[in-house]
Amino acid sequence: GCAVTNPMINTLFLPELREMIREGDERGLQEFCTALHPARTADFMEGLTDDEAWQVLNHAEIAVREEIFTYFDSDRQQTLLASENRGQVAELVAALAADDRVDILAGLDSEVLQDILSRIPADERRDYLRLSQYPEGTAGAVMTTEVAKLGESLTVRAALDELARIAESVETIYYLYVVDDEDHLRGIVSARQLVAGMKRPDTPLSELMDRNVVTATPMEDQEDVANKVARLDLLAIPVVDGQQRMLGIITHDDVIDVMRDEATEDAHRIAAVDPLDESYLKTHIVTLSWKRGIWLVILFVAALLTALALEQYETRLKEWTWLALFIPLVISSGGNSGSQSATLIITALTRGHVTLQDWWRVIWRELLMGLLLGTGLAILGFLVAWMFRSVPTVTHALVIPITLLLVVVSGTLSGSILPLVFQRLGLDPAMMSNPFVAGIVDILGILIYMNVAIWILS
């Protein structure tokens, strides 16, 4: 199994695969397409040219061809669709799952797209046009319309017969959705329930189904839907309109993709990088520089404000030169505590563990946490300051622990409050990145430090 993903073994096998292509070895190429999992077959084909890969694909049955194609990287998919025989391309596009079809066709040139759409069956074309209307990031943009729907008047025996008929054309049969004549969702029956129901094969689905169905709406945020599916351990979730009519489903594999994309986006934001639209290596260096640079400029301004704050106390620093020794200690303690709080709160908001209604509990907990952590660091800070020969007296040394306590409390409160404020404004709380929080707390740290020094030493 591991050998398939080994580049050296792939390279050794490529001459044999190319030889089969040159000789037109149909049987060998058919066996190659079906012998392994489609993902591994796609791995083996990485070293082929696009034209060679297309020739290999065309030796597979359409269902297998479609599966292998979905595991190609997006660049190869776009190139093949735009450059190969349009009739064969249209056959492949028509076989794709509805949600995959929308994603794959999204990057094509409009002229190529229209040509392909004109060649696929009317049902698939209408399906594509309907799904492509939903904005990126919504439930409608990731749902599929290939759903196992059964009439509520069907008996268990008739439902199994119907399921056998439609099984090949639907995305999943884990859940079977029971609808009325106008496609309103009435309930849900699992495949397990249906098989177990054969003890009484004449039982109508209306008696067997679960009427308490968790649903999503097409304009609902895909991250909210993914959290709902993860929290309730669902394999799929139906998408319905305002009248409870079935529009499609979002399956667990799509949910995994959504959660992975959202986690990546949050990680980028927390690190003060504008989220990338493509992978790191596929993002142009100018685009990558812009996405990083714009945040670096913002953080530069924050650091400049810290320098301006220090400038206001230049005279005091000349008088008490030893204070400069502890500036890094003070601002790093505040920035680090603020970053910790921001990360915890952003993660909790993302996973639904904290809501805006919990704001008071969050602030209270972070205040207590700041006092506990600040007290611990204050004790360490006092011992360190007392040991420094540059610090004249014990009274002078008290500046450090008092500052550390106040700065850490400020950091925990800032790191917890700012993500909540962003959430309240309808913005992504992850935009309140760790460096941004640290920059704010740095300014607070300098102000607190110098004012504590003036209060004690004057």
Side-chain angles (χ1 to χ4, degrees):
C2 296
V4 176
T5 57
N6 187 315
M8 182 176 293
I9 292 180
N10 284 8
T11 303
L12 291 173
F13 184 76
L14 278 178
E16 297 180 29
L17 187 53
R18 286 199 167 104
E19 184 65 25
M20 285 192 287
I21 296 171
R22 279 195 298 270
E23 295 178 354
D25 184 357
E26 293 191 13
R27 183 174 179 181
L29 291 173
Q30 287 171 359
E31 185 177 347
F32 167 75
C33 291
T34 56
L36 299 169
H37 187 280
R40 295 180 174 180
T41 303
D43 285 338
F44 263 126
M45 296 168 68
E46 281 184 3
L48 298 177
T49 65
D50 291 330
D51 187 57
E52 289 172 335
W54 187 253
Q55 290 183 58
V56 174
L57 277 183
N58 282 321
H59 283 83
E61 295 290 334
I62 186 62
V64 177
R65 194 185 317 165
E66 173 265 327
E67 281 195 87
I68 297 172
F69 182 79
T70 58
Y71 287 105
F72 287 162
D73 65 69
S74 59
D75 286 343
R76 168 162 279 188
Q77 289 175 343
Q78 302 296 317
T79 301
L80 291 175
L81 294 183
S83 62
E84 297 299 335
N85 180 278
R86 290 292 163 79
Q88 295 174 336
V89 165
E91 182 185 14
L92 175 62
V93 169
L96 291 169
D99 51 338
D100 290 336
R101 188 186 300 124
V102 172
D103 292 337
I104 291 171
L105 294 181
L108 289 179
D109 178 78
S110 59
E111 184 179 339
V112 175
L113 175 61
Q114 292 305 319
D115 188 19
I116 293 174
L117 289 178
S118 68
R119 296 169 182 264
I120 65 176
D123 287 344
E124 279 73 17
R125 183 165 60 250
R126 283 194 296 269
D127 206 35
Y128 167 80
L129 294 173
R130 183 167 65 252
L131 291 178
S132 62
Q133 298 304 308
Y134 293 110
E136 188 71 25
T138 63
V142 292
M143 75 176 180
T144 181
T145 53
E146 296 165 341
V147 187
K149 294 187 289 186
L150 300 171
E152 59 183 335
S153 60
L154 289 179
T155 63
V156 170
R157 190 194 308 278
L160 281 171
D161 291 340
E162 176 66 9
L163 185 59
R165 187 183 68 81
I166 65 173
E168 291 296 323
S169 61
V170 296
E171 180 90 0
T172 175
I173 58 171
Y174 299 128
Y175 295 144
L176 312 169
Y177 299 95
V178 183
V179 296
D180 62 15
D181 294 337
E182 297 179 352
D183 233 19
H184 295 102
L185 180 62
R186 295 303 186 191
I188 185 173
V189 175
S190 69
R192 176 183 294 180
Q193 284 178 298
L194 199 60
V195 172
M198 279 303 292
K199 297 174 183 177
R200 295 185 299 156
D202 295 325
T203 304
L205 294 184
S206 57
E207 294 182 15
L208 196 63
M209 67 186 184
D210 182 0
R211 298 177 186 274
N212 186 23
V213 185
V214 177
T215 63
T217 59
M219 297 305 292
E220 193 171 345
D221 187 275
Q222 63 179 19
E223 187 175 5
D224 294 336
V225 177
N227 288 330
K228 192 185 297 183
V229 171
R231 187 175 70 252
L232 300 175
D233 290 328
L234 302 175
L235 295 175
I237 186 169
V239 181
V240 298
D241 63 13
Q243 285 73 46
Q244 284 295 105
R245 278 192 292 265
M246 278 286 294
L247 299 177
I249 60 170
I250 299 174
T251 54
H252 66 283
D253 55 325
D254 294 320
V255 168
I256 291 172
D257 290 340
V258 167
M259 297 190 79
R260 182 179 60 189
D261 292 343
E262 293 291 346
T264 302
E265 182 178 313
D266 288 347
H268 287 165
R269 291 193 187 282
I270 289 173
V273 176
D274 205 32
L276 306 181
D277 299 321
E278 306 247 355
S279 67
Y280 172 78
L281 291 177
K282 291 180 182 176
T283 302
H284 194 280
I285 192 69
V286 174
T287 304
L288 191 59
S289 299
W290 169 257
K291 287 179 176 290
R292 295 176 64 172
I294 190 169
W295 277 98
L296 286 178
V297 170
I298 294 172
L299 297 175
F300 175 85
V301 172
L304 180 61
L305 293 175
T306 304
L308 291 174
L310 273 172
E311 187 182 33
Q312 303 304 311
Y313 300 101
E314 185 178 5
T315 303
R316 297 293 187 176
L317 285 172
K318 287 180 180 177
E319 182 181 353
W320 304 313
T321 55
W322 61 272
L323 288 175
L325 297 173
F326 297 95
I327 289 175
L329 176 67
V330 168
I331 62 176
S332 66
S333 297
N336 291 336
S337 62
S339 296
Q340 285 181 333
S341 295
T343 300
L344 288 170
I345 301 307
I346 290 169
T347 304
L349 286 168
T350 301
R351 300 189 63 184
H353 295 169
V354 167
T355 65
L356 288 176
Q357 286 70 36
D358 300 316
W359 68 272
W360 174 245
R361 292 179 62 196
V362 170
I363 293 174
W364 176 245
R365 286 172 66 88
E366 288 302 310
L367 175 60
L368 292 177
M369 189 64 62
L371 290 171
L372 288 171
L373 296 174
T375 299
L377 290 179
I379 294 171
L380 291 175
F382 176 74
L383 294 176
V384 170
W386 189 43
M387 289 188 293
F388 266 66
R389 293 181 181 179
S390 303
V391 181
T393 66
V394 172
T395 302
H396 288 69
L398 285 174
V399 173
I400 306 305
I402 294 173
T403 299
L404 284 173
L405 176 60
L406 295 176
V407 165
V408 170
V409 170
S410 298
T412 56
L413 289 177
S414 299
S416 58
I417 291 173
L418 291 173
L420 291 172
V421 170
F422 268 54
Q423 179 90 335
R424 181 66 183 85
L425 295 174
L427 302 172
D428 187 346
M431 292 177 65
M432 186 47 60
S433 64
N434 286 341
F436 195 58
V437 170
I440 294 173
V441 177
D442 285 352
I443 300 170
L444 286 175
I446 294 300
L447 295 175
I448 292 170
Y449 185 34
M450 296 310 301
N451 280 283
V452 168
I454 291 170
W455 173 57
I456 290 180
L457 303 182
S458 297

